[in-house]
Amino acid sequence: DVKQLKLNYACKALTNINILRLLKQLGSGLDTVSEQEVQLGLRAGFAPQDIIYTPNCVSIEEIGERVEHGVKINIDNISILEQFGHEFPDTPVCIRINPHIFAGGNAKISVGHIDSKFGISIHQLPHVLKVVETTGLNVEGLHMHTGSDIYDSEVFLRGAEILLTQAEHFPDLQYVDFGSGFKVPYKEGGISTDIEDLGQKISERFNRFCKSYGRDLTLMFEPGKFL
């Protein structure tokens, strides 16, 4: 168990507005990757602060429009992070880290490996810290996403360990977001992620981190098909 847990539905799995409304009623937040998904989330009744926006390969101008909506911003590119710091120094931001963990059912859906476009390489952390120091960015969250169809808890936990090790560099953290990618069975007897095993292990590690960090952070996940 953790003191604070937040699940954000990755609406790329299904953006039917009635599904979005149902998940909102159940207490879910929303994970979005585009302007259209943000707009759908707002139309479905999600509060802006319950929507996290994780764009990939978009302009700083488009990100700025989402800032005006008041949603959480999650950035996965150093150049954009630096521009964001200069344009919106007072806006809290989440940083998406690539842990270089190869996870997922196959190479096409694994997004944590070294050639992935998703996330800032863990090896570029010194550069990230320099950008944060130079621009005065308020880093409120750290995020990772290793891929889809992950059924090996140990692979996921290795990524979590890498993320938490780096989290110590950010004194203003409010949450740590472990993304998702859990394996779901499509038919009876299919392979799935052992969520109870993963939940127990990651909760223990997260609680140890919070104790050493001296603060109660929110643990976040972004399941899509799983929810």
Side-chain angles (χ1 to χ4, degrees):
D1 293 338
V2 296
K3 290 185 178 180
Q4 299 177 104
L5 174 68
K6 181 72 172 179
L7 297 181
N8 299 316
Y9 171 58
C11 69
K12 64 177 72 67
L14 179 62
T15 53
N16 182 295
I17 196 165
N18 294 299
I19 296 296
L20 300 186
R21 287 170 176 158
L22 173 62
L23 286 164
K24 176 189 173 295
Q25 291 173 9
L26 295 173
S28 172
L30 199 66
D31 166 50
T32 64
V33 298
S34 68
E35 172 188 357
Q36 292 77 15
E37 288 182 356
V38 171
Q39 294 287 0
L40 275 171
L42 294 171
R43 188 178 301 176
F46 285 90
Q49 63 268 25
D50 288 330
I51 299 175
I52 185 165
Y53 170 61
T54 308
N56 183 251
C57 300
V58 305
S59 68
I60 190 66
E61 288 76 20
E62 184 171 331
I63 293 174
E65 292 171 2
R66 306 293 80 74
V67 170
E68 293 178 6
H69 281 123
V71 302
K72 284 183 168 63
I73 305 295
N74 186 20
I75 293 179
D76 70 351
N77 177 284
I78 284 185
S79 174
I80 291 294
L81 183 69
E82 190 166 12
Q83 293 177 60
F84 187 91
H86 289 295
E87 294 274 346
F88 311 103
D90 299 322
T91 300
V93 68
C94 179
I95 299 177
R96 189 184 209 190
I97 298 293
N98 181 346
H100 297 319
I101 295 293
F102 190 93
N106 60 60
K108 292 183 179 179
I109 57 174
S110 175
V111 298
H113 56 82
I114 198 163
D115 293 323
S116 172
K117 66 178 181 177
F118 297 101
I120 299 171
S121 168
I122 196 68
H123 303 305
Q124 292 181 296
L125 187 71
H127 192 170
V128 170
L129 294 174
K130 189 65 177 178
V131 168
V132 171
E133 178 186 1
T134 302
T135 62
L137 269 173
N138 174 7
V139 180
E140 67 171 1
L142 284 184
H143 174 280
M144 76 167 188
H145 181 46
T146 52
S148 298
D149 282 356
I150 300 168
Y151 59 86
D152 185 347
S153 296
E154 294 306 315
V155 173
F156 196 95
L157 288 165
R158 285 204 301 274
E161 184 67 36
I162 290 170
L163 197 66
L164 289 176
T165 300
Q166 306 312 318
E168 298 176 3
H169 295 288
F170 300 93
D172 299 319
L173 278 186
Q174 300 297 316
Y175 58 89
V176 178
D177 188 336
F178 291 122
S180 183
F182 307 136
K183 174 71 174 175
V184 297
Y186 287 96
K187 56 185 178 181
E188 188 174 352
I191 298 173
S192 63
T193 305
D194 188 340
I195 292 295
E196 291 196 10
D197 177 66
L198 176 61
Q200 180 180 351
K201 290 177 179 177
I202 209 163
S203 294
E204 290 173 356
R205 180 63 184 92
F206 184 74
N207 287 334
R208 288 202 309 273
F209 172 76
C210 287
K211 185 175 182 180
S212 66
Y213 194 77
R215 292 175 59 190
D216 291 328
L217 304 181
T218 297
L219 173 61
M220 292 172 64
F221 288 98
E222 295 167 357
K225 290 178 290 183
F226 177 80
L227 284 184

